[in-house]
Amino acid sequence: MGNAKDENKKYREIQGELTAAGLRFALVVSRFNAFVTERLLDGALDALHRSGAEGGSIDVVRVPGAFEIPVTAQHLAETGRYDAIVCLGAVIRGDTPHFEHICTEASKGIAASALTSGIPMSFGVLTVENLEQAVDRAGLKSGNKGFEAAMTAVEMANLLKKVKGSPSRRAGKRSRK
Ligand code: INI
């Protein structure tokens, strides 16, 4: 028996392409734990260039720490100059509850900024127990989360362009006179 999902397909599938041509990106990178965040930035730039990002289409914006990423991303989104924003940082647990506060504010803040602005923002902020875990995720044993965050930004930028421009939405707007 076939898969019901594939038989008599009565739906459209919508997803974003992984091509960065014609898109503009801002990369917000925190300087705190720069040894790690610079590796994340390398990964993100590699992903954008490999997906066809054009010269002059990428701005790299540096902030002091992960806590400062959300407000910066929100202001960048509000300029209307970017199709997606890649947020890169590294929060490494210390001996105090400071870690939890920075992680929570960075993740909730980035999510809130994306929802408020409508511009996709990808979460390339490592939240880890120690430096070894951070380095593993910044290009050593466990891939490069900066690369992944940039690919997500490319896909989401293309997806939201399609969703915003879909015919039913435009038809809906026309009929609401
Ligand atoms: N910022 C980080 O990006 N990572 C950290 O691990 C970190 N720790 O551990 O303190 C950190 N703190 C700085 C914070 O993001 C702000 O820049 C600072 O509190 C000033 O607002």
Side-chain angles (χ1 to χ4, degrees):
M1 213 163 72
N3 183 342
K5 209 167 68 177
D6 299 329
E7 286 166 8
N8 304 320
K9 200 171 173 186
K10 288 181 181 154
Y11 57 89
R12 263 185 329 145
E13 286 201 37
I14 307 172
Q15 58 182 334
E17 284 79 32
L18 293 178
T19 173
L23 299 176
R24 287 192 55 88
F25 300 90
L27 279 58
V28 185
V29 192
S30 71
R31 282 194 304 269
F32 208 104
N33 294 320
F35 175 74
V36 176
T37 61
E38 288 303 311
R39 306 284 90 72
L40 296 175
L41 175 60
D42 291 344
L45 290 171
D46 185 30
L48 295 180
H49 290 140
R50 287 206 216 181
S51 336
E54 289 152 6
S57 66
I58 303 169
D59 289 338
V60 175
V61 181
R62 294 183 193 273
V63 296
F67 190 81
E68 284 72 37
I69 293 175
V71 68
T72 310
Q74 175 148 348
H75 279 284
L76 289 165
E78 285 167 358
T79 65
R81 284 204 294 267
Y82 304 102
D83 297 291
I85 297 179
V86 182
C87 300
L88 303 172
V91 194
I92 303 179
R93 189 185 287 280
D95 296 330
T96 69
H98 197 64
F99 169 88
E100 267 84 21
H101 294 297
I102 305 290
C103 291
T104 305
E105 294 312 317
S107 56
K108 287 198 168 172
I110 291 167
S113 299
L115 288 170
T116 306
S117 66
I119 299 297
M121 296 182 189
S122 59
F123 188 70
V125 180
L126 300 179
T127 55
V128 291
E129 296 293 321
N130 51 50
L131 186 59
E132 186 187 359
Q133 285 184 353
V135 172
D136 281 350
R137 288 158 182 75
L140 204 60
K141 288 187 202 157
S142 309
N144 185 315
K145 299 296 172 196
F147 187 99
E148 290 173 23
M151 292 308 293
T152 299
V154 171
E155 180 173 346
M156 287 303 296
N158 283 308
L159 175 64
L160 294 195
K161 267 181 189 288
K162 274 192 195 174
V163 170
K164 285 178 188 168
S166 75
S168 64
R169 188 184 146 98
R170 276 187 262 121
K173 272 189 182 162
R174 271 199 300 274
S175 63
R176 279 197 299 274
K177 280 191 177 159

